[in-house]
Amino acid sequence: QVQLVESGGGLVQAGDSLRLSCAASGSIVEMFAMGWYRQAPGKQRELVATITEGGNPEYADSVKGRFTISRDNAKNTVYLQMNSLKPEDTGVYYCNADAYSGSVPTLGNYWGKGTLVTVSS
């Protein structure tokens, strides 16, 4: 099993920056793609950014040029640097990862519990 724990959320003003972190722990054999999703009040969860094990990122159009995803494979941690935040970026941000884990390695997809980001206008 793999546990994902997010941190770094908070209340900021429009135009400010935040950096989210997500640390993976457990009986990890190998981490594959990691990513960030968000869910605004009353809306469905949506993809924000993903990054492959090799470090290739992809972004939702709404955050391109403002957000940067990165990872530290030695620490099994993924980051999301969010700049020029807008009120529409408000939501709960969830970490997601694919990983082999366990004494008999099994591929699984895991979610964190989320961290709240609130951007005031």
Side-chain angles (χ1 to χ4, degrees):
Q1 284 294 326
V2 176
Q3 295 78 44
L4 302 177
V5 178
E6 303 98 334
S7 61
L11 172 63
V12 297
Q13 293 186 332
D16 286 350
S17 298
L18 275 178
R19 189 191 194 211
L20 306 183
S21 300
C22 170
S25 62
S27 53
I28 298 169
V29 175
E30 186 172 0
M31 300 293 297
F32 297 108
M34 303 182 77
W36 290 95
Y37 291 72
R38 67 186 180 191
Q39 187 166 17
K43 295 187 177 180
Q44 290 188 332
R45 193 173 297 187
E46 63 176 1
L47 172 69
V48 175
T50 61
I51 187 167
T52 66
E53 186 178 10
N56 294 316
E58 289 191 0
Y59 299 94
D61 288 343
S62 59
V63 306
K64 283 181 181 177
R66 300 188 298 122
F67 291 11
T68 302
I69 189 170
S70 60
R71 64 189 289 168
D72 184 332
N73 289 336
K75 296 181 179 179
N76 289 325
T77 299
V78 63
Y79 306 95
L80 186 68
Q81 177 66 43
M82 304 185 294
N83 298 329
S84 302
L85 282 161
K86 303 176 181 180
E88 51 263 44
D89 294 318
T90 293
V92 179
Y93 283 69
Y94 297 92
C95 180
N96 177 264
D98 293 323
Y100 267 131
S101 66
S103 57
V104 179
T106 303
L107 181 63
N109 182 260
Y110 300 93
W111 290 92
K113 293 183 178 181
T115 185
L116 178 62
V117 173
T118 304
V119 185
S120 63
S121 57

